[in-house]
Amino acid sequence: MSGAVIGMLVGMALAFAGWFGGFGAFLLVAALGTVGGVLGRLVDNGTDWREFLAPGDRRPR
């Protein structure tokens, strides 16, 4: 799935959450979407979480 399609789906989910649930639901969906995106990237790449969070110059070798 392309990045444009994923972005569109995320935008639609946030719009529905904001419309029907208010600003609190909007923030909750945005936060959980971010966590899900990070976890999905870690699973897809097989990356260690410490390597994911380390700055570019201090990555473990």
Side-chain angles (χ1 to χ4, degrees), residues 6 10 29-54:
I6 292 172
V10 168
V29 169
L32 292 177
T34 302
V35 169
V38 168
L39 291 176
R41 182 173 173 198
L42 289 174
V43 168
D44 283 346
N45 294 339
T47 307
D48 185 26
W49 65 272
R50 290 172 298 221
E51 184 178 323
F52 183 77
L53 296 175

Side-chain angles (χ1 to χ4, degrees), residues 4-19:
V5 173
I6 292 172
M8 181 186 67
L9 292 174
V10 168
M12 289 173 56
L14 289 172
F16 278 117
W19 182 262

